[in-house]
């Protein structure tokens, strides 16, 4: 499958450039996937964020270098750490021991081999979905910048929702809702070449003081319904990437990811996950 080949090509590139600064946009281009979607897909398939995988691979190599006699300061600089303190902290986080004691008798370090992606289609549990082609639509709401390393955003989005619920923003947005998709929206607008932002918004053509606007581009969407807590939503997203996408005949498109909350009760929400897709060639 071509997109799995792309993921493995990006892994090979990481291996060849562990001693250099790795650019996530470059890795995404090698994987033939928009940068934001590449990081999400990697995390779901590998079980760890991209940044953590790179950190583990560097520290695995660093341990070998230290075992063969290289100096701690040289190894730290080799893998991008400008201070011995930063390298020591990163090394201990992975191996549980300081780099200075690696060559001592009985010192135990960890090895994290390079990944190789394969796909096993299980089909154990059905998934409902529909394919929907939509013109561009306008949203009204609030937004905040996202970091290019999506691991750093894991706390930002829940904090945004909590603040919006507490200060009345959600109620004000609900009053502006019109058109489709009809629901409270969580939009990850992270297209290549644009500043990454996360939106809490509604579809609307109305103007409202204090809110921003954004146009979600025209796209084809695979839409997956679900219900439950935020954890069940994350599990649905994981299944979409690891189970549905490999056998679907589609690959990720370049439009935003959209979460549509039909019932915003955080403990028992009804929602839809919209992922942009394009038909895979060949």
């Amino acid at each position: 499958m071509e997109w799995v080949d792309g993921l493995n090509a990006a892994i090979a590139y990481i291996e060849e450039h562990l001693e250099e600064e790795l650019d996530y946009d470059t890795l995404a281009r090698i994987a033939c996937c928009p940068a934001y979607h590449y990081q999400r897909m990697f995390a779901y398939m590998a079980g760890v964020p991209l940044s953590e995988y790179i950190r583990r691979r560097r520290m695995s190599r660093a341990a070998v270098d230290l075992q063969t006699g290289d100096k701690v300061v040289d190894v730290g600089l080799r893998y991008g750490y400008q201070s011995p303190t930063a390298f020591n902290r990163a090394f201990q986080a992975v191996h549980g021991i300081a780099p200075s004691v690696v060559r001592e008798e009985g010192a135990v370090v960890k090895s994290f081999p390079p990944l190789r992606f394969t796909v096993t289609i299980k089909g154990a549990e059905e998934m409902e979905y529909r394919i929907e082609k939509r013109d561009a639509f306008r949203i009204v709401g609030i937004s905040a910048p996202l970091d290019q390393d999506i691991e750093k955003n894991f706390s930002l989005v829940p904090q945004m929702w909590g603040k919006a619920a507490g200060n009345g923003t959600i109620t004000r947005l609900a009053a502006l809702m019109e058109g489709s998709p009809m629901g409270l929206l969580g939009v990850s607008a992270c297209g290549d070449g644009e500043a990454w932002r996360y939106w809490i918004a509604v579809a609307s053509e109305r103007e409202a003081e204090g809110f921003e606007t954004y146009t979600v581009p025209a796209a084809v969407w695979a839409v997956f319904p679900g219900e439950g807590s935020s954890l069940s939503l994350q599990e649905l997203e994981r299944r979409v990437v690891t189970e549905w996408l490999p056998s679907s005949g589609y690959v990720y498109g370049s439009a935003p990811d959209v979460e549509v909350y039909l019932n915003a009760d955080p403990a028992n929400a009804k929602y839809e996950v919209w992922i942009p897709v394009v038909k895979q060639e060949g």
Side-chain angles (χ1 to χ4, degrees):
M1 299 180 184
E2 292 182 5
W3 66 271
V4 175
D5 294 339
L7 288 174
N8 285 323
I11 289 290
Y13 182 90
I14 290 171
E15 286 301 302
E16 294 170 2
H17 297 83
L18 280 174
E19 297 180 14
E20 305 167 24
E21 183 175 352
L22 286 163
D23 178 67
Y24 290 178
D25 288 338
T26 299
L27 295 174
R29 284 194 295 271
I30 294 170
C32 300
C33 184
Y36 175 78
H37 297 313
Y38 167 67
Q39 287 194 57
R40 291 191 64 179
M41 188 160 56
F42 185 99
Y44 281 130
M45 295 191 69
V48 294
L50 176 61
S51 57
E52 177 61 21
Y53 171 75
I54 293 171
R55 186 180 303 115
R56 291 179 182 183
R57 285 298 303 137
R58 283 175 170 155
M59 293 304 99
S60 290
R61 286 264 196 95
V64 173
D65 294 349
L66 292 167
Q67 287 170 334
T68 56
D70 289 359
K71 295 181 179 178
V72 171
V73 65
D74 293 338
V75 175
L77 289 171
R78 183 176 303 150
Y79 294 104
Y81 294 88
Q82 300 303 312
S83 75
T85 299
F87 175 59
N88 183 75
R89 184 165 54 245
F91 192 90
Q92 288 202 57
V94 171
H95 295 287
I97 62 173
S100 58
V101 302
V102 166
R103 289 195 297 273
E104 293 182 4
E105 184 176 352
V108 177
V109 294
K110 298 176 183 177
S111 176
F112 295 94
L115 285 174
R116 173 136 187 106
F117 290 106
T118 60
V119 175
T120 301
I121 308 301
K122 296 180 180 179
E125 186 178 346
E126 66 182 20
M127 296 185 69
E128 293 183 358
Y129 74 96
R130 68 181 188 271
I131 299 297
E132 185 166 326
K133 184 177 181 180
R134 291 188 56 93
D135 294 333
F137 60 94
R138 180 179 182 268
I139 63 174
V140 176
I142 60 172
S143 71
L146 292 174
D147 197 278
Q148 294 287 317
D149 180 351
I150 65 171
E151 185 182 5
K152 297 179 180 178
N153 300 314
F154 290 159
S155 61
L156 181 146
V157 172
Q159 288 173 3
M160 273 188 70
W161 280 99
K163 183 177 179 180
N167 64 16
T169 296
I170 298 299
T171 301
R172 292 175 59 206
L173 283 174
L176 298 172
M177 191 185 305
E178 60 182 14
S180 177
M182 183 61 74
L184 199 60
L185 310 178
V187 179
S188 299
C190 303
D192 292 342
E194 70 175 341
W196 289 12
R197 300 191 73 81
Y198 182 82
W199 289 78
I200 298 174
V202 293
S204 180
E205 293 295 330
R206 298 161 67 180
E207 298 295 335
E209 185 177 353
F211 288 125
E212 308 166 74
T213 64
Y214 175 77
T215 299
V216 177
V220 175
W221 309 85
V223 182
F224 300 82
E227 58 184 44
S229 66
S230 59
L231 290 177
S232 62
L233 185 146
Q234 293 171 14
E235 173 62 15
L236 175 59
E237 292 177 337
R238 184 197 66 78
R239 291 191 62 212
V240 168
V241 170
T242 61
E243 298 179 26
W244 180 81
L245 195 60
S247 60
S248 68
Y250 290 93
V251 294
Y252 258 119
S254 58
D257 273 5
V258 180
E259 296 166 356
V260 182
Y261 294 93
L262 308 172
N263 168 14
D265 178 357
N268 189 30
K270 294 184 183 297
Y271 49 79
E272 292 179 339
V273 171
W274 292 43
I275 67 166
V277 293
V278 295
K279 198 67 178 176
Q280 188 170 0
E281 298 179 0

